[in-house]
Amino acid sequence: MSSPAALFTDRSGWAPDGPPRAVVRARTVADVQRTLAEASRTGTPVVTRGAGTGLAGGAVAGPEAIVLDVSGLDRILGIDPVDGIARVEPGVVTAELDRAAAEHGLMYAPDPGSVAICTVGGNIATNAGGLRGAKYGVTRDSVLALDVVLADGTLLRLGRDTVKGVVGLDLAGLVVGSEGTLGVVVGATLRLLPRPTRVTTAVAYFASVAAAAGAATALGAAGLRPAVLELVDGKTLAAIDELRGTGHAGRGAALLLVQADGFGAGEEIAAVAAVLGRTARSVETTEDAGTAAALSAARRDALPAIEAKGRALIEDIAVPRSRLADAVDGVHAIAAATGTDVFVFAHAGDGNLHPIILLGPGTAPGAIPPAARRAADDIFALALALGGTVSAEHGVGLLKRAWLERELGPDVLALQRRVKAVFDPAGILNPGKAI
Amino acid sequence: MSSPAALFTDRSGWAPDGPPRAVVRARTVADVQRTLAEASRTGTPVVTRGAGTGLAGGAVAGPEAIVLDVSGLDRILGIDPVDGIARVEPGVVTAELDRAAAEHGLMYAPDPGSVAICTVGGNIATNAGGLRGAKYGVTRDSVLALDVVLADGTLLRLGRDTVKGVVGLDLAGLVVGSEGTLGVVVGATLRLLPRPTRVTTAVAYFASVAAAAGAATALGAAGLRPAVLELVDGKTLAAIDELRGTGHAGRGAALLLVQADGFGAGEEIAAVAAVLGRTARSVETTEDAGTAAALSAARRDALPAIEAKGRALIEDIAVPRSRLADAVDGVHAIAAATGTDVFVFAHAGDGNLHPIILLGPGTAPGAIPPAARRAADDIFALALALGGTVSAEHGVGLLKRAWLERELGPDVLALQRRVKAVFDPAGILNPGKAI
């Protein structure tokens, strides 16, 4: 952690009123148990954090809270290559787990944008997704068992070591995505998958973002479910050109990046290219890793290119796949109506859009100008109107609390809160977040 | 339903003490709501049922209970081929949903052994798996949203229509596998996947069941995860030969059935055959559907062939994949020690074994001879000793209640019961089952 402030904020831009009551840097499971038992006794809020890469304010801690930093619990305890299982502590950086798995010919599938710096524990807290999600799912799909410390300090093991199991309720799955409100994850048993030996890549440019979104939908309709299916809009392409000196914007007003892996990857990408070719301006495919890296740089550069222009709100809606073009069109209309700068890239295979609202120069840290706030609200309303959700993979945290009841309804929200109370009767675990 | 008794038992062989207090055949969601509200008011237990194909006693109803039969809620409400989503009522027969999906080039992946007669609602209650589980997962992986009536008659919609979503706790996932203890599922939004256009099949015979189990493990170690990976032991092969006049037992003491699908299925099965060929007596592969059906008949005939010999206990343990051979050996040793007839087939790709304990001629309905009971208990103990579970996909129901606390531990079980109480404070939903 570079500065004390970095210990009670995250990447959401949300600023707490002041420093927390205390910061505990846990080195052992017993540290976590002691901290929670004491906090329960005194009724003190506890905000658990890993690397602080969250985008929804879930790890932001107010002055009344204890910050429980578990990033020091960072060991990979074991990898069993035959069973395809890893046992890790929560502070392990996601990309490092994937690298360790690679030594055994395996991969850890979840790969959020922040994979190089985020931790497995944070991924579990938010049920993080990523680029490979179209084929390999989200973090919950990779979790077999969790070691969880409850609010009173009790250590429980939830889940199991086998791929299948139906004994009891799926409490491990329930903890995934609960944003630190049910317990503190101090260990995880995770699935590893065979590392694909072949990856093929296609990049296509389109005359409009609607055409690109339509092509993404057409892939699904053709029965094609590639491992990666990403969309980048023209505004974002222009930002990348500005940052990197590339010439994307001259080639089209939107880009689709598609990757297939495993047996038949070449044949699959040929089928993909045939569908894209119906409406694309150009389609390029490659089986060469170096060329693929160059082709896919546009997607990897998208967020850095926008953030180079200034502070931004990173949104995270999802809609049914068939509504992808409507969603992109709607976001652009909202940008025009609110006079905001909104960039869009998307995990198109999942119907998951990231509209990025630029806050403009001179915006104070922690402040969100009214036009940007209105744009964000309109984007959330659009997501719900299209049958979607206000958060696909970043979480609710603090930022989307106002939308929680609107999406879930009062009865479901009340039920969720009653379930939380079972795990945390004193309400000390990340209060005021997520649910 | 063929007889009144069929309305309060299932396929577990468990016999209740007498007919239930009443049977409600729900035709509408309102019927379900009214039944539960009234039962909550009067504190009457409610046992929900679909087709009654359960193997763990989850749908067995005692004399004090109301049976709530939802098999009449059997409409497929819609299939959206672009979004890959089906909306169904719980009484839809699983194979019929898959057939309806096939008309759009899609498939509903979960395919339990009883797929032709079981219902989607029952599959959700038990988180049913099936043959394709090695690649496509279990029922929970196919559930996006559930319409659930709580014990007090409230109708809630849990989950969402999008592939991804992290707003609130995953209560839909929690209801999957809860065996009717949290609420009554009256509607489901399910994922459909592209129907593979190509399926290739390999069948290999081995000199011993240990060699076959070892080969299954070797496939995983080689990074191969085919869609179907099934093991049938020699005793079961002999039973099939007896029923069908086939000659399996002469070809080996165990069989592995492997299927790959999608792009590259041919290449994948060739890689599979190369690994199997190292230790198999013989390996045969085909891309022809007719030949594949003939080759895979042995697996489909396994249970009917054993049941043709008499009533049987159908067990359902899972172990880490690397312990598969140990588990099969252990089951055979238990059979020898207890003097019981035990047949084994397995979803080997998931480490999921079905030891089938023949009860012998003359065993009264509902009765389990002491030797069979001892064999079952020893098999459960074996599963736990190998780091596994006493139920991979059939559920706990009544049959495995005695093993629940031993697998979960008292603290986790207590937590599960507190979570159940949130959904069902009066404890009327399938009391005495599952948890």
Side-chain angles (χ1 to χ4, degrees), chain B residues 317 319 323-332 353 382 386:
Chain B
I317 62 172
V319 295
R323 309 307 299 271
L324 190 64
D326 296 335
V328 177
D329 281 351
V331 170
H332 286 147
L353 284 75
L382 172 72
L386 293 173

Side-chain angles (χ1 to χ4, degrees), chain B residues 349-391:
Chain B
D350 297 325
N352 178 189
L353 284 75
H354 292 307
I356 316 292
I357 307 169
L358 203 63
L359 298 182
T363 309
I368 301 177
R373 192 179 297 273
R374 200 161 57 244
D377 277 348
D378 289 353
I379 288 169
F380 298 154
L382 172 72
L384 296 187
L386 293 173
T389 174
V390 304
S391 184

Side-chain angles (χ1 to χ4, degrees), chain B residues 67-278:
Chain B
V67 167
L68 175 57
D69 175 7
V70 296
S71 64
L73 293 168
D74 61 356
R75 291 175 302 165
I76 296 175
L77 301 173
I79 287 181
D80 186 321
V82 177
D83 285 326
I85 281 177
R87 282 176 215 279
V88 304
E89 293 184 327
V92 171
V93 169
T94 308
E96 280 177 16
L97 171 58
D98 190 43
R99 263 195 295 278
E103 289 173 22
H104 303 275
L106 299 168
M107 74 168 171
Y108 178 63
D111 62 339
S114 54
V115 63
I117 51 170
C118 64
T119 63
V120 168
N123 296 168
I124 291 168
T126 56
N127 190 24
L131 268 62
R132 295 192 283 231
K135 178 168 181 177
Y136 295 106
V138 291
T139 298
R140 185 178 288 115
D141 299 306
S142 289
V143 170
L144 294 176
L146 295 177
D147 301 309
V148 177
V149 179
L150 297 190
D152 64 3
T154 315
L155 174 64
L156 295 182
R157 181 172 169 78
L158 306 177
R160 52 189 194 277
D161 286 353
T162 53
V163 178
K164 282 157 77 176
V166 293
V167 172
L169 304 173
D170 181 19
L171 297 186
L174 190 69
V175 168
V176 179
S178 64
E179 301 188 47
T181 63
L182 298 186
V184 176
V185 173
V186 293
T189 304
L190 303 170
R191 290 183 80 158
L192 303 175
L193 296 173
R195 199 167 196 88
T197 47
R198 252 167 304 172
V199 178
T200 59
T201 303
V203 167
Y205 291 86
F206 293 82
S208 70
V209 72
T217 302
L219 289 177
L224 295 162
R225 295 279 192 283
V228 170
L229 173 50
E230 298 284 314
L231 180 152
V232 182
D233 79 348
K235 213 170 151 66
T236 307
L237 290 176
I240 295 165
D241 289 342
E242 220 171 294
L243 182 75
R244 301 284 183 212
T246 43
H248 295 295
R251 301 185 63 188
L255 170 152
L256 280 186
L257 166 71
V258 188
Q259 291 192 315
D261 63 25
F263 291 104
E267 207 182 334
E268 187 174 355
I269 219 72
V272 164
V275 172
L276 299 184
R278 287 183 216 150

Side-chain angles (χ1 to χ4, degrees), chain A residues 205-210 212 231-242 247-256 306 309 328 332 342-345:
Chain A
Y205 291 87
F206 293 83
S208 70
V209 72
L231 180 151
V232 182
D233 79 348
K235 213 171 153 65
T236 307
L237 291 177
I240 295 164
D241 290 343
E242 221 170 293
H248 295 296
R251 302 185 63 186
L255 171 153
L256 280 185
I306 301 163
K309 294 174 169 291
V328 177
H332 286 146
V342 185
F343 303 74
V344 179
F345 53 90

Side-chain angles (χ1 to χ4, degrees), chain A residues 131-137 196 225-228 259-263 268 350:
Chain A
L131 268 63
R132 294 192 284 230
K135 180 168 179 176
Y136 295 105
R225 295 278 190 285
V228 171
Q259 291 192 314
D261 63 25
F263 291 104
E268 186 174 359
D350 297 324

